[in-house]
Amino acid sequence: MLRYATRRVLSALPIAFIAVTVCFFILRAAPGGPFDSDRPLPPEVLANVRAYYNLDQPLFMQYLLYIGGVLRGDLGPSMSSYDFSVSELMAIGMPFSLQLGLTAFVIATTIGVLTGMIAAVYKNKWPDYLLVLVVMIGVIVPNFLIGALLQLWFGVYLRWLPAGGWVPGSWAHLVLPVAVLSWAHAARISRLMRGSMIETLGTNYVRTARSKGLGERMVLARHAIKPALIPVVSYLGPGLSYLLTGSLVVEQIFGLPGIGRYFIQAALNRDYGMVLGTTLFYMLLIIALNLIVDLVYAWLDPKVRYR
């Protein structure tokens, strides 16, 4: 298992390297620069600033300098927050983004698995139809629209919850952002769990268990849930990465102090280092999550062996 994990990591690193390279040159090819503003800098000041950030070097030399810094663990300075490096800004915003994403992940996964099981057990009955309707809303409507509607209803009209902002230690400010992130994720998991559970309940070993007189709860707990979870687990890795990257937009909508605020500001201000650093972090995170999913497969399905 350890050798398999090592091979997977080594095979994924070239993909991350290619993605960072493509992102680097696309950012440089975009019109504008990090120091373009309504009030232009004096030429001598602009020349000093460009020299400080190595922007006066040829493009390929800038690329080599950046890759060399990444290999040393240095993501470089931020070009929009002048007193901070990219690593420092990520260290400030990442804990909140991880808290938001992981909270939504746990809630959405639990709700999605339970609703998928209920829909499968009551297939083609009113609980199934009701859950499918709620699920389809979460899949079809984009999260930024759901976020705006929840802000309007619960934050402005009803005044039940804060419409935005953040107060340290206040759970109320997390309810709406977590609900927006969780809805689409729970909807996808519910659809996967429903289809997988229906297929599992029709297998021979489940029918055999029922013929032996086992109750429906015992059949679900002992024979149906574990194999039905296999397709769901395959989605959890990309799903968690989707939640963490999707939180960038949600954080901006609700004015939360996560990494999304820094990333969007960096994209608007052409902060090359911050955009590249965030992209690299999420790529490595996705690689790690997919590896964990592959390892969990071996536990859920004894037929799976990594040689």
Side-chain angles (χ1 to χ4, degrees):
M1 190 72 71
L2 180 60
R3 295 175 61 184
Y4 168 78
T6 303
R7 289 197 303 269
R8 281 296 305 271
V9 171
L10 293 178
S11 63
L13 289 180
I15 299 176
F17 173 77
I18 294 173
V20 170
T21 301
V22 172
C23 186
F24 180 91
F25 287 103
I26 287 178
L27 284 174
R28 295 303 198 276
F35 308 113
D36 296 342
S37 61
D38 295 335
R39 182 180 179 183
L41 297 174
E44 57 276 7
V45 175
L46 181 59
N48 291 333
V49 172
R50 290 178 59 85
Y52 176 78
Y53 291 106
N54 296 318
L55 295 178
D56 58 338
Q57 301 286 338
L59 184 59
F60 188 71
M61 183 59 66
Q62 295 179 38
Y63 169 74
L64 293 179
L65 291 173
Y66 179 76
I67 294 298
V70 170
L71 294 177
R72 298 192 305 270
D74 181 13
L75 298 178
S78 171
M79 297 179 185
S80 57
S81 301
Y82 304 111
D83 295 331
F84 294 91
S85 66
V86 173
S87 300
E88 290 172 342
L89 290 177
M90 292 181 65
I92 294 172
M94 189 55 65
F96 184 88
S97 295
L98 290 176
Q99 176 188 359
L100 180 64
L102 292 175
T103 302
F105 176 78
V106 172
I107 294 175
T109 302
T110 303
I111 294 175
V113 169
L114 291 177
T115 55
M117 290 174 54
I118 294 173
V121 172
Y122 293 96
K123 184 180 68 170
N124 296 331
K125 297 181 180 179
W126 72 264
D128 183 21
Y129 296 142
L130 178 61
L131 292 174
V132 168
L133 175 62
V134 175
V135 162
M136 290 306 297
I137 294 175
V139 172
I140 294 173
V141 182
N143 57 3
F144 63 85
L145 180 56
I146 293 179
L149 292 176
L150 293 182
Q151 280 181 318
L152 185 63
W153 293 336
F154 296 101
V156 178
Y157 292 158
L158 300 177
R159 298 181 182 275
W160 290 353
L161 295 167
W166 169 247
V167 176
S170 174
W171 63 268
H173 289 77
L174 287 177
V175 173
L176 292 182
V178 168
V180 173
L181 282 176
S182 302
W183 198 337
H185 184 71
R188 294 183 179 92
I189 291 180
S190 179
R191 293 180 65 189
L192 286 172
M193 189 66 187
R194 179 184 181 275
S196 179
M197 179 64 75
I198 291 175
E199 183 179 354
T200 302
L201 292 176
T203 55
N204 293 330
Y205 61 86
V206 171
R207 286 197 292 265
T208 302
R210 285 172 173 166
S211 66
K212 292 180 178 179
L214 292 180
E216 190 67 21
R217 292 183 181 180
M218 189 67 67
V219 171
L220 292 176
R222 288 189 177 182
H223 301 282
I225 293 180
K226 191 173 178 180
L229 281 174
I230 293 178
V232 177
V233 169
S234 65
Y235 171 75
L236 292 183
L240 179 55
S241 62
Y242 165 79
L243 283 179
L244 295 176
T245 54
S247 66
L248 303 180
V249 178
V250 174
E251 290 170 9
Q252 185 71 10
I253 293 174
F254 289 94
L256 301 175
I259 196 175
R261 178 179 62 182
Y262 300 116
F263 180 81
I264 293 177
Q265 290 177 354
L268 295 175
N269 297 326
R270 300 293 192 272
D271 188 344
Y272 301 141
M274 188 64 193
V275 174
L276 286 170
T278 308
T279 302
L280 178 61
F281 173 80
Y282 279 121
M283 281 191 299
L284 296 177
L285 181 64
I286 291 171
I287 291 172
L289 292 175
N290 288 332
L291 175 61
I292 293 173
V293 167
D294 288 343
L295 297 179
V296 172
Y297 252 87
W299 174 74
L300 286 175
D301 190 353
K303 295 182 292 183
V304 177
R305 290 294 180 266
Y306 301 109
R307 298 188 184 276

